[in-house]
Amino acid sequence: MIRSTIFALATLAASAASALTIDTNPTWDGSINDGWDGSGQSLTVDLLETQLDDISFYFAEESAGLTFDFTITDALTGGNVLFSSSFVVTSGINTFLTNLDLSPGSLVYALFDYNGFSGETAHFSYTNGYTGGQSFFESGGWATDFTTLDHRFVANFSDPSPIPLPAGGLLLIGALGGLAALRRRKVA
């Protein structure tokens, strides 16, 4: 009885702690975007972990201190804006807390407008380290033929409705205790 209770609690804890991270850092080849008006990265939303908690992109030192615009949309052009933020670039990692509930299996676009700056900006890679999306570059219109390029990014997804562990654990313990009491009562 104790073993089954411990197993049930461990299973409950594991299901509440599930998450998915997409990380293209290991495949970064040192490339840095230079000369474009904007850039972006598409991402495929997981079928289970559909809440985009946060997403981070890496930027070159040359763009540090500048203000860029960041949006997440459901289409490359003409789509719905799901998240939008202006930010002051720091050299290295720049993280956006989004907490977006997204549709399972959908494609979303993380897009940057460099506001007229055409020097070194976002890090990207020529190696196709992430097969669920691709990079896009903008100069008077989005160039979509970069199917094997990826931005250097980290995206953290989670289940938007995790099982609340404290309440679920107490209910489970109470139910198992009730079953044990009934069993003892029948034996006596």
Side-chain angles (χ1 to χ4, degrees):
M1 182 63 145
I2 292 175
R3 282 186 195 167
S4 61
T5 302
I6 291 171
F7 176 75
L9 289 174
T11 302
L12 188 62
S15 67
S18 62
L20 170 73
T21 297
I22 301 168
D23 184 357
T24 63
N25 277 308
T27 59
W28 185 53
D29 61 10
S31 300
I32 298 176
N33 184 11
D34 191 359
W36 294 91
D37 297 333
S39 68
Q41 175 72 40
S42 60
L43 302 134
T44 301
V45 178
D46 188 66
L47 297 178
L48 299 175
E49 313 301 328
T50 60
Q51 179 171 309
L52 177 59
D53 299 320
D54 60 75
I55 188 164
S56 303
F57 287 88
Y58 292 79
F59 284 86
E61 188 174 329
E62 185 178 332
S63 57
L66 299 173
T67 301
F68 293 159
D69 296 325
F70 174 65
T71 56
I72 297 177
T73 64
D74 60 3
L76 184 58
T77 58
N80 297 309
V81 174
L82 308 173
F83 178 85
S84 179
S85 175
S86 290
F87 69 103
V88 176
V89 178
T90 59
S91 177
I93 194 166
N94 292 259
T95 300
F96 304 92
L97 303 176
T98 57
N99 295 316
L100 287 174
D101 289 331
L102 302 168
S103 298
S106 65
L107 197 60
V108 295
Y109 299 83
L111 305 171
F112 294 98
D113 181 347
Y114 300 138
N115 295 324
F117 180 71
S118 62
E120 291 185 347
T121 53
H123 294 185
F124 74 95
S125 183
Y126 283 98
T127 57
N128 193 12
Y130 172 60
T131 58
Q134 72 175 69
S135 285
F136 299 94
F137 299 94
E138 201 271 329
S139 182
W142 287 103
T144 59
D145 54 344
F146 297 102
T147 57
T148 60
L149 304 184
D150 288 310
H151 275 60
R152 183 180 178 198
F153 72 97
V154 177
N156 292 300
F157 288 87
S158 65
D159 184 345
S161 57
I163 300 167
L165 184 58
L170 291 175
L171 285 172
L172 179 64
I173 290 171
L176 292 174
L179 289 172
L182 283 173
R183 185 175 178 180
R184 285 185 182 165
R185 189 173 173 183
K186 283 184 180 180
V187 171

